[in-house]
Amino acid sequence: MVQIVTTASLESFRKFIIISTCRSFIPESYLHDYEVFPEREEGQGAIYIEAADKVTLKKVREITFVNAKEILGIIYSSKSGNTQLKWRQIRRRSGKVYGVASANALVNLVESGVLTQEWVDNYLRSSQDKKENPSIRKEKSV
């Protein structure tokens, strides 16, 4: 698991959710409508959109597509439980993403633009440095 704390646009996080859950079956018109978001029932794999105005559009498989305006936050959980991420609005369509992500989610976060490849490379480099030089870990924990 990788700890994530970064800023991201609402659109990039929306794209991440679509890539992670419904890319293969989302209706084409919903894919290009920036106000349409996928939601999933509570429990394992829940996706919840917190918005000032939200209308249910259509249910496809386990995903309910909603038209949402003035998004305040999004809670995303993977079905496996290995990824738990939240997007919180900072200003308009910009927000902060935080939580934990699996390796698969990291790929989707880069593809969607939430994270850059440079961020992942730096994370991997720092993880490798900690493994090769355990004293780094000890110094930081003191």
Side-chain angles (χ1 to χ4, degrees):
M1 298 308 146
V2 176
Q3 190 70 34
I4 305 291
V5 178
T6 190
T7 56
S9 69
L10 176 60
E11 178 52 28
S12 65
F13 199 72
R14 173 186 172 272
K15 190 174 177 183
F16 162 74
I17 295 170
I18 290 170
I19 290 169
S20 299
T21 60
C22 60
R23 176 179 18 199
S24 64
F25 61 86
I26 185 172
E28 190 72 24
S29 61
Y30 292 175
L31 183 61
H32 302 292
D33 186 338
Y34 300 130
E35 291 183 347
V36 175
F37 292 81
E39 274 193 326
R40 201 163 35 204
E41 298 294 321
E42 290 183 30
Q44 194 80 343
I47 304 168
Y48 177 73
I49 310 300
E50 182 185 354
D53 184 24
K54 186 166 69 171
V55 177
T56 300
L57 299 172
K58 181 179 187 177
K59 185 165 183 157
V60 180
R61 300 183 191 172
E62 79 279 2
I63 301 289
T64 301
F65 293 98
V66 297
N67 186 298
K69 296 179 181 167
E70 297 178 44
I71 310 292
L72 304 171
I74 301 172
I75 300 170
Y76 170 83
S77 302
S78 65
K79 281 186 171 182
S80 68
N82 293 332
T83 300
Q84 305 282 329
L85 294 171
K86 294 180 180 180
W87 180 92
R88 276 277 161 229
Q89 180 190 49
I90 295 173
R91 195 173 53 129
R92 293 186 182 151
R93 298 183 67 82
S94 177
K96 183 176 182 179
V97 176
Y98 57 96
V100 293
S102 67
N104 185 52
L106 278 179
V107 171
N108 294 343
L109 287 163
V110 170
E111 185 178 344
S112 65
V114 172
L115 295 177
T116 62
Q117 186 62 50
E118 181 184 19
W119 188 97
V120 175
D121 292 343
N122 288 339
Y123 175 82
L124 293 172
R125 197 174 307 112
S126 85
S127 295
Q128 190 62 34
D129 289 347
K130 287 177 187 175
K131 286 179 185 175
E132 290 174 1
N133 190 353
S135 63
I136 293 172
R137 189 177 304 137
K138 289 176 185 173
E139 290 172 12
K140 288 185 176 180
S141 62
V142 174

